Amino acid sequence: MKSAVGSVKNTSFSLLFSDFKEITKAKLAVSVVFSSIAGYFLGAYQISAVSLLLLTFGGYCMVGASNAFNQIIEKDLDALMNRTKNRPIPSGRMSVKAALTIAILLTVLGVVALFALSPKTAMFGAISIFLYTSVYTPLKTKTPLAVFVGAFPGAIPFMLGWVAATDDFGIEPGTLFMIQFFWQFPHFWALGWMLDEDYKKAGFKMLPTGKKDQGTIMQIILYTVWMIVISVMPAFGITGRLNLSVVAAILVLLAGLTMLFFAFRLYEKRDNVTARRLMLASVTYISLIQIIYVIDKFI
């Protein structure tokens, strides 16, 4: 009997933990925290384990809170789409009250943790939650410009790490912000292309022209080119302490050109398979160049 009770408790905990990961979008949150940590390493004069822990914890809380608020606001729309109908709230596994409690608690914990690093870090973290939940989320059903608005909070993490390390905002974190800002357009439009039919069930307007057409792909290509240009700018000595060696710049350029190749392939093929390849290439790109930037600083 005790074994059966213990098994039930373990199963219940496992389900609760699984729903917590889903309501906070754990995989996305971890990737965002990775960006922040990369920014921290780039900005730090001296690495502090305490600061890294605060940044990791606070960053996850802020991203998790944003995602939880988003799923509360979009619960009825999530129920209409295949990719989201099994999320904790629309599936009935989690109440709105429970999700709201999680979102508020994570917001408070996140702001406190980031404030312990610096007031500027906490301010940017709070701005990202506000823009994501109060501006980007409502705009998704009204205008394709939602992606442009959403690119602002989405570009904060890479920059946030530098600010957390230096308590300063200048050309260096501004450059990191711009890299991730321009990267988001090809990334999310590739995702929007793949999921266009599902998004339309909820009335989401994610593609810039509203259609899977040549105009959308041309914008994907244009923003990818801008992303590449900004990503190699630190090699020219015009971005303060943020520098790239020639070798690192070549690697970053090759990674960008690979992503651009997939953007042109989408122009040629115009199918979901190619859009998925572009989306995966974009995920690889942003993580890879952050690793290159950090390694280049320390060797």
Side-chain angles (χ1 to χ4, degrees):
M1 179 67 74
K2 288 182 179 179
S3 177
V5 171
S7 178
V8 170
K9 287 182 177 179
N10 288 336
T11 301
S12 297
F13 177 79
S14 177
L15 290 173
L16 287 171
F17 184 63
S18 177
D19 282 343
F20 176 80
K21 289 194 298 181
E22 195 162 357
I23 200 76
T24 59
K25 292 187 181 178
K27 290 182 180 179
L28 173 62
V30 169
S31 70
V32 170
V33 169
F34 180 85
S35 293
S36 296
I37 291 173
Y40 176 87
F41 277 116
L42 291 173
Y45 293 99
Q46 185 175 352
I47 306 300
S48 164
V50 173
S51 295
L52 277 173
L53 285 173
L54 287 170
L55 180 62
T56 300
F57 177 75
Y60 188 96
C61 287
M62 300 300 267
V63 179
S66 296
N67 289 325
F69 280 126
N70 172 268
Q71 291 182 50
I72 292 167
I73 295 168
E74 294 182 348
K75 64 183 187 302
D76 295 329
L77 300 178
D78 280 348
L80 302 175
M81 296 185 291
N82 293 332
R83 64 183 290 266
T84 55
K85 64 184 180 182
N86 290 319
R87 283 177 173 174
I89 300 176
S91 68
R93 298 193 309 272
M94 183 181 292
S95 67
V96 171
K97 183 178 180 180
L100 187 60
T101 301
I102 291 172
I104 293 172
L105 182 61
L106 289 177
T107 301
V108 173
L109 291 174
V111 169
V112 170
L114 295 182
F115 189 84
L117 285 169
S118 77
K120 284 191 182 75
T121 308
M123 177 190 71
F124 282 121
I127 288 172
S128 71
I129 288 184
F130 173 78
L131 288 176
Y132 189 85
T133 60
S134 300
V135 185
Y136 165 70
T137 296
L139 282 178
K140 286 165 68 179
T141 57
K142 301 184 184 306
T143 172
L145 286 174
V147 174
F148 175 79
V149 174
F152 284 90
I156 286 176
F158 201 13
M159 171 201 80
L160 190 72
W162 185 289
V163 175
T166 64
D167 193 27
D168 182 53
F169 182 83
I171 185 65
E172 300 93 345
T175 302
L176 299 180
F177 176 90
M178 293 304 290
I179 291 170
Q180 203 151 1
F181 179 81
F182 282 103
W183 165 81
Q184 286 178 91
F185 294 96
H187 173 73
F188 280 106
W189 285 335
L191 185 64
W193 185 289
M194 289 166 47
L195 301 172
D196 186 55
E197 290 76 15
D198 213 22
Y199 278 140
K200 283 179 178 176
K201 294 176 184 177
F204 289 152
K205 305 177 187 299
M206 302 303 290
L207 296 177
T209 66
K211 296 180 290 185
K212 297 161 73 169
D213 61 6
Q214 178 178 323
T216 286
I217 303 172
M218 289 304 297
Q219 292 197 52
I220 287 174
I221 292 170
L222 177 63
Y223 279 92
T224 302
V225 169
W226 275 111
M227 176 200 74
I228 294 170
V229 170
I230 296 168
S231 294
V232 298
M233 275 177 52
F236 296 93
I238 57 176
T239 53
R241 285 204 300 123
L242 183 65
N243 298 301
L244 273 182
S245 67
V246 173
V247 172
I250 291 172
L251 292 175
V252 168
L253 177 61
L254 289 174
L257 291 176
T258 300
M259 189 169 154
L260 186 61
F261 166 79
F262 284 106
F264 277 110
R265 288 289 288 174
L266 182 59
Y267 184 88
E268 178 185 352
K269 298 288 187 180
R270 305 191 187 186
D271 59 15
N272 288 349
V273 172
T274 312
R276 176 175 172 77
R277 288 171 180 163
L278 172 58
M279 187 273 293
L280 293 174
S282 70
V283 172
T284 302
Y285 172 84
I286 197 65
S287 299
L288 181 61
I289 69 157
Q290 288 167 351
I291 292 169
I292 292 170
Y293 267 65
V294 172
I295 291 176
D296 190 56
K297 175 186 174 179
F298 289 100
I299 62 173

